[in-house]
Amino acid sequence: MIACTTSIGIALLNQNGADVAYQPAFLGAGEADRAFEALLRQVQFNAPEDSRVHLFGEWHEIPRLQVGYGDQGTSYRFAGCTVRARPWAEVPALMMVRETLRSRCGFEANFVLVNLYRSRANSIGWHQDDEADLGPQPTILSLSLGAERDFQFRHRQAADNGLPTVTIPLAPGSLLTMRDPTNKNWKHQVPRRGGTRPERIGPRLNATWRRIV
Ligand SMILES: O=C(O)CCC(=O)C(=O)O
């Protein structure tokens, strides 16, 4: 996996079965701040007890808040957890971002999973977005707002092929696009922010835009 930066500032990670593009300033600073404030006000996160996942034979509360919005009847299932879409109309700021993704990227999302990392202790563990609900060749667009946090990719066979973990600090206003076959070959995570970087960090909001089939 290599990273190269194009003349228009898009980092491409496109070897070893990855097809990833990173646009650090997809939204300008002012636009990103306004979207972050509006989403923090408008998004109603699910109660932690409604966001349990089944891992290693046990149910766990996830170390972040989450909620889904989408077209009527859509839902997203992973690790035993079903996130049913709330209506788009509840969150005008999400509808605006959805329209931006449609007009600028030609991406017609019918579902978005919104994650709130309230502090440095919040995280999402290694996983692949390869659920059947996403169809055989999923594209996922991931918009980050608020605090910068590290996003990491690790090849599924890293223990055998020695490919290194790739870390991308996701800036507020950035867009990370993962195209097929990335999620067949690579896992990703947002680790908790460990003790070697003890500075205080604020909340981070991430919205992963998907097409549920
Ligand atoms: O917060 C992020 O950047 C990643 C979220 C994620 O991996 C997911 O929702 O599947």
Side-chain angles (χ1 to χ4, degrees):
M1 195 182 207
I2 51 157
C4 64
T5 304
T6 68
S7 55
I8 52 171
I10 301 177
L12 301 171
L13 309 161
N14 52 11
Q15 272 191 356
N16 301 307
D19 185 350
V20 175
Y22 175 61
Q23 293 168 262
F26 180 76
L27 300 182
E31 207 181 352
D33 286 350
R34 285 192 294 279
F36 182 52
E37 296 301 324
L39 289 173
L40 282 182
R41 270 197 318 275
Q42 295 171 13
V43 169
Q44 299 291 316
F45 287 94
N46 292 337
E49 56 272 24
D50 294 332
S51 297
R52 292 202 177 98
V53 290
H54 198 246
L55 294 173
F56 313 114
E58 285 178 19
W59 288 95
H60 301 269
E61 268 180 27
I62 57 173
R64 63 191 180 282
L65 296 180
Q66 80 178 10
V67 66
Y69 291 89
D71 292 357
Q72 193 177 5
T74 53
S75 62
Y76 181 60
R77 286 170 294 175
F78 67 96
C81 179
T82 300
V83 186
R84 292 196 172 76
R86 297 175 67 120
W88 294 114
E90 286 182 10
V91 185
L94 269 184
M95 293 167 72
M96 285 173 64
V97 176
R98 184 179 175 224
E99 188 45 44
T100 302
L101 296 176
R102 194 200 315 266
S103 60
R104 287 181 54 186
C105 311
F107 189 74
E108 301 271 345
N110 63 2
F111 187 90
V112 63
L113 186 68
V114 186
N115 286 303
L116 180 66
Y117 302 80
R118 292 159 290 186
S119 73
R120 56 189 298 130
N122 278 186
S123 62
I124 187 165
W126 289 114
H127 67 285
Q128 287 156 272
D129 292 344
D130 60 353
E131 288 74 17
D133 291 347
L134 296 170
Q137 295 183 311
T139 293
I140 294 167
L141 272 54
S142 170
L143 180 75
S144 293
L145 298 167
E148 181 178 285
R149 293 285 296 264
D150 286 345
F151 183 95
Q152 296 184 310
F153 282 108
R154 184 178 74 192
H155 196 274
R156 286 183 58 198
Q157 267 97 45
D160 299 325
N161 61 25
L163 285 172
T165 297
V166 177
T167 301
I168 309 175
L170 293 184
S174 68
L175 187 73
L176 185 81
T177 302
M178 291 182 271
R179 291 193 193 85
D180 188 66
T182 310
N183 272 290
K184 294 189 175 79
N185 300 314
W186 292 80
K187 292 177 182 277
H188 56 266
Q189 72 163 356
V190 175
R192 59 198 296 280
R193 190 82 155 242
T196 53
R197 292 158 81 179
E199 75 277 18
R200 263 184 80 81
I201 56 165
R204 166 176 184 263
L205 193 143
N206 171 262
T208 49
W209 300 82
R210 300 153 191 259
R211 274 209 68 76
I212 306 292
V213 294

